[in-house]
Amino acid sequence: GHRGAMRRAAKRDASEAAIVEALRAVGATVVRTDWCDLTVGFRGRNFALEVKTGKGRLTRSQVDLLRTWAGHYDIVRTPDEALVAIGATHE
């Protein structure tokens, strides 16, 4: 129902905020965009990050975009995954 969707959105916002904080702490530039959750600049490179919570799945439009997207793209669920995605830390 609608309430569950609102709860999920709040949860995603909380995890997204923690991820943004971690990225900025290592010197990355972070912008929230319409086409993906976060566009990140780090050491001269750009990264597209999609933030998902738990078992969150991509929407159909995201899947369609990614099928044709020729650039870098990662789905991240935690600050650690985000840092690995941009190459700030290693797994």
Side-chain angles (χ1 to χ4, degrees):
H2 184 63
R3 203 170 280 163
M6 283 175 62
R7 235 195 335 270
R8 272 195 306 280
K11 201 165 154 188
R12 198 204 86 182
D13 289 345
S15 59
E16 191 173 290
I19 286 169
V20 169
E21 201 174 298
L23 291 167
R24 288 186 172 146
V26 296
T29 313
V30 183
V31 180
R32 287 182 171 91
T33 58
D34 289 337
W35 79 272
C36 76
D37 291 329
L38 304 174
T39 302
V40 182
F42 187 66
R43 295 182 183 155
R45 297 181 63 202
N46 301 313
F47 301 88
L49 301 184
E50 192 65 41
V51 177
K52 294 291 175 191
T53 55
K55 296 187 178 75
R57 302 216 187 288
L58 292 174
T59 63
R60 183 171 298 250
S61 61
Q62 287 170 334
V63 169
D64 290 343
L65 173 72
L66 290 187
R67 204 173 284 132
T68 58
W69 183 246
H72 179 94
Y73 189 93
D74 271 301
I75 297 167
V76 299
R77 296 171 198 278
T78 65
D80 284 343
E81 285 182 5
L83 293 175
V84 169
I86 68 165
T89 58
H90 300 288
E91 296 186 73

